[in-house]
Amino acid sequence: MKKGYVILNIMKWMAIVVAVPFLLFLILAILVYLPPVQNYAVRITAEKLSERMDMDISVEKVRLAFPLDLSLHGVMAVEHGDTLADIRALRLNIPVRPLLKGEAKVQGVEIYDTHVNTSDYIPDVQARGTIGVLKTGVDASISPLGRVKVNGLHIGEADLYIALSDTAAVDTTEAETKWDVDVKNVRIEKSNVCLSMNRDEMRIRCGMEDFALGEAKVNTAPMLTRAKNIQGDGLSIGYATRLRKDYKQSANDALMHKSIDQWDKKLPQRAGLDPTHVLCDEVELSIASLAYLPDGTIQVDVPWFKGKERSGLQINELIAKGEMKGNRVNVEVLKMKTPHSRIEAKASVPLNILEKQSREICQLDLNAQLGWQDLHLLSAPWVDSNIIKRLPHSTLSLCGNIDGGRTRLRMKDTQLHWQGVAQIDMEGEIKRPLEKNRTGEVHLQAKVADAAPLMQWLPTDLQKTLNLPKGTSAKGIAKVNGDRYAFDGNLMVQNGKM
């Protein structure tokens, strides 16, 4: 009897020993889901993180639902007075099993009403702005090695400014984490992005009503971004360069705007198509590939573009492939159709080609048929309005190879056919074409139907001394030396006199 009693006591104490840890774990698990305990744990964690990361991190409140459905409200991170993140609400659904393997898999992230500033945490890139809503799909993961994978991402009502620097000082220190981000199936709605490049020498803006991205990869060491299968509808796309004398805004000024698309709207609008400030609305877009390389080069392949430029130029179809490297835009393929014109071209154009001290050379291989409606728009920024009014309503065909800049202008196999005006074949070179001390020779063969539209392009004194009757044809060498013009060749007049 006594022996049985001892055995019973031993079994009871063994049961207590086994049950106590389980009960403690159960109590602890229950406590974890109590809001006061959660808030206390988060406050302690935020204090530790603040001390370790040398910034102020705070969380207003936290809620944890079973098993790990985590909601954070009023999340803020401040470093040296700069707010890096201010999140109204953040929700994470984290499965438990991957945590045991050292990997944080997230089955859904939702972020609402966020102000973000990456400061200098991403090499050569700074991003600031607001994001209304950000949601990921159920397949997302972040590893301790900085690898991020997301399949399914939705962004709405975002307003972001991103500065890319290809002139940043080389950092010889080894970063603790090199981010490798792989994102697929992205959808962006009702958002604006402004991109600043080359020390803010150029800005590109994109307003997105409905935008889809098939795949994107970002690597921060070195900075490399590649994107594929981009589709957009209802977009607004534009760019402006510092070639505009009235473009004085700095990158920091733009960051202060409530809407970052104000920077280009503040520029006075010029007549016609202004190549230093382009803005297209009602854009339908398809981009096969887009890349930002470590040296700052941007590469793009656009199989489809349709839109309306604010000057009134309607683009029915545009196909383009090229890159912007440093201060130069290289266009490998360009095909454009408007209701009135057809253009095919290859080009290499420096962005500072129009600056007075520029010695850069542009190259153009062109085959174009320009309707008079588009010709008026293209001429407006450069040609006197009175001359434009007198231009004939006929198609201008221009093809050939042209290269040059302010130092020289060279033409090879260049043909100009203006219906009802003239047909001219040219080949030659003019040095300093925009200066008073210009010199050069051009071999030409021409037949003039009506010289009046051509004469108005010539200097005033030459217009007074030269009369070209209708039906005039010429073959020879045209020479220029300052304000003096000469022609050595055969000149034939069908009717009239010179």
Side-chain angles (χ1 to χ4, degrees):
M1 185 73 179
K2 188 177 181 179
K3 185 177 180 180
Y5 178 76
V6 172
I7 294 174
L8 183 62
N9 282 335
I10 293 174
M11 292 181 64
K12 181 168 67 173
W13 280 106
M14 288 180 64
I16 293 174
V17 170
V18 173
V20 166
F22 177 77
L23 290 173
L24 289 175
F25 176 78
L26 184 61
I27 294 171
L28 182 61
I30 294 174
L31 289 175
V32 167
Y33 289 98
L34 296 178
V37 176
Q38 294 172 1
N39 292 332
Y40 173 78
V42 169
R43 185 171 66 252
I44 297 300
T45 303
E47 291 176 359
K48 295 294 183 181
L49 284 174
S50 298
E51 181 179 348
R52 180 178 178 182
M53 301 182 69
D54 192 25
M55 66 176 66
D56 295 327
I57 299 176
S58 61
V59 180
E60 184 178 324
K61 62 180 180 179
V62 62
R63 294 292 180 268
L64 181 64
F66 184 83
L68 281 178
D69 191 354
L70 182 65
S71 296
L72 303 175
H73 298 267
V75 181
M76 184 173 291
V78 179
E79 182 182 49
H80 308 306
D82 292 332
T83 301
L84 303 183
D86 184 359
I87 306 173
R88 182 182 66 82
L90 183 152
R91 181 178 178 183
L92 303 173
N93 187 1
I94 306 172
V96 177
R97 184 173 296 179
L99 291 176
L100 304 177
K101 301 179 181 179
E103 187 178 52
K105 272 192 171 293
V106 181
Q107 291 183 340
V109 176
E110 299 178 16
I111 301 176
Y112 299 93
D113 299 335
T114 301
H115 294 261
V116 63
N117 174 15
T118 64
S119 187
D120 55 357
Y121 280 89
I122 303 177
D124 297 341
V125 178
Q126 184 185 28
R128 290 190 182 186
T130 61
I131 301 175
V133 58
L134 185 151
K135 297 181 180 180
T136 71
V138 297
D139 187 8
S141 65
I142 303 175
S143 77
L145 299 178
R147 296 190 181 95
V148 180
K149 291 186 178 181
V150 177
N151 189 356
L153 176 64
H154 174 259
I155 298 175
E157 298 179 358
D159 203 2
L160 296 174
Y161 175 90
I162 302 173
L164 302 179
S165 173
D166 55 353
T167 56
V170 177
D171 187 358
T172 58
T173 61
E174 190 72 18
E176 293 184 4
T177 303
K178 297 179 181 180
W179 291 98
D180 185 3
V181 182
D182 188 351
V183 182
K184 296 180 180 180
N185 300 320
V186 179
R187 192 69 174 268
I188 304 175
E189 296 178 322
K190 295 182 173 61
S191 299
N192 292 298
V193 175
C194 178
L195 189 66
S196 170
M197 304 174 57
N198 295 337
R199 293 182 178 180
D200 204 33
E201 289 295 324
M202 182 177 186
R203 292 188 188 172
I204 302 173
R205 182 181 74 84
C206 182
M208 294 168 280
E209 188 68 23
D210 188 4
F211 185 86
L213 171 64
E215 179 182 353
K217 294 185 178 182
V218 180
N219 194 305
T220 62
M223 189 63 197
L224 174 64
T225 302
R226 294 187 183 276
K228 296 180 180 179
N229 302 326
I230 300 172
Q231 307 290 330
D233 192 8
L235 307 183
S236 176
I237 300 176
Y239 73 84
T241 75
R242 283 194 182 277
L243 296 179
R244 287 290 299 268
K245 294 180 180 179
D246 44 13
Y247 173 24
K248 300 177 181 178
Q249 230 171 359
S250 69
N252 290 330
D253 292 334
L255 298 177
M256 303 303 293
H257 289 158
K258 293 181 179 179
S259 178
I260 55 91
D261 64 348
Q262 293 180 8
W263 64 272
D264 57 356
K265 292 182 179 179
K266 287 179 175 290
L267 291 176
Q269 184 173 348
R270 292 175 176 174
L273 180 64
D274 181 0
T276 66
H277 180 209
V278 172
L279 179 60
C280 290
D281 292 317
E282 304 173 16
V283 172
E284 298 176 18
L285 173 69
S286 175
I287 300 178
S289 63
L290 177 66
Y292 178 77
L293 306 183
D295 63 355
T297 299
I298 292 181
Q299 297 175 337
V300 64
D301 183 359
V302 182
W304 172 255
F305 180 98
K306 180 181 179 181
K308 184 177 182 179
E309 212 278 329
R310 63 178 181 174
S311 63
L313 181 66
Q314 177 69 49
I315 302 174
N316 289 350
E317 180 183 350
L318 185 143
I319 300 171
K321 184 178 182 179
E323 66 176 15
M324 187 171 78
K325 188 171 185 177
N327 198 38
R328 181 174 288 270
V329 177
N330 300 309
V331 180
E332 183 180 339
V333 176
L334 176 64
K335 297 181 180 180
M336 187 174 75
K337 295 180 181 179
T338 77
H340 317 289
S341 306
R342 302 289 185 273
I343 299 175
E344 293 187 12
K346 295 180 181 180
S348 178
V349 182
L351 296 177
N352 63 344
I353 186 66
L354 299 178
E355 292 182 359
K356 190 172 183 180
Q357 303 301 322
S358 175
R359 293 296 179 264
E360 297 282 354
I361 298 296
C362 70
Q363 298 174 328
L364 176 63
D365 190 357
L366 179 65
N367 184 359
Q369 294 80 44
L370 301 176
W372 65 268
Q373 300 91 335
D374 295 337
L375 185 61
H376 286 199
L377 291 175
L378 296 173
S379 304
W382 323 104
V383 182
D384 185 89
S385 59
N386 293 322
I387 294 179
I388 294 177
K389 291 178 182 178
R390 294 195 295 268
L391 292 178
H393 290 188
S394 60
T395 300
L396 171 65
S397 298
L398 181 62
C399 63
N401 184 277
I402 304 171
D403 66 84
R406 300 187 69 93
T407 57
R408 66 168 173 81
L409 177 64
R410 181 181 298 160
M411 296 172 285
K412 183 179 179 181
D413 298 329
T414 302
Q415 298 177 348
L416 182 151
H417 185 197
W418 202 345
Q419 290 180 5
V421 179
Q423 184 171 345
I424 305 173
D425 296 342
M426 299 175 288
E427 188 165 320
E429 180 177 339
I430 300 176
K431 297 180 179 178
R432 302 172 298 278
L434 301 179
E435 306 297 333
K436 291 184 178 180
N437 62 341
R438 65 181 73 88
T439 60
E441 295 183 355
V442 177
H443 294 259
L444 63 83
Q445 182 174 343
K447 186 174 182 179
V448 179
D450 182 4
L454 297 176
M455 293 292 292
Q456 60 184 345
W457 296 80
L458 299 177
T460 304
D461 55 346
L462 188 59
Q463 293 183 38
K464 295 179 180 179
T465 59
L466 181 62
N467 177 32
L468 293 178
K470 294 182 178 181
T472 300
S473 60
K475 183 177 182 180
I477 302 175
K479 300 178 181 180
V480 58
N481 189 351
D483 292 333
R484 298 184 61 184
Y485 297 85
F487 178 75
D488 184 8
N490 297 324
L491 189 64
M492 293 168 284
V493 180
Q494 183 175 353
N495 296 306
K497 62 180 181 179
M498 296 187 65

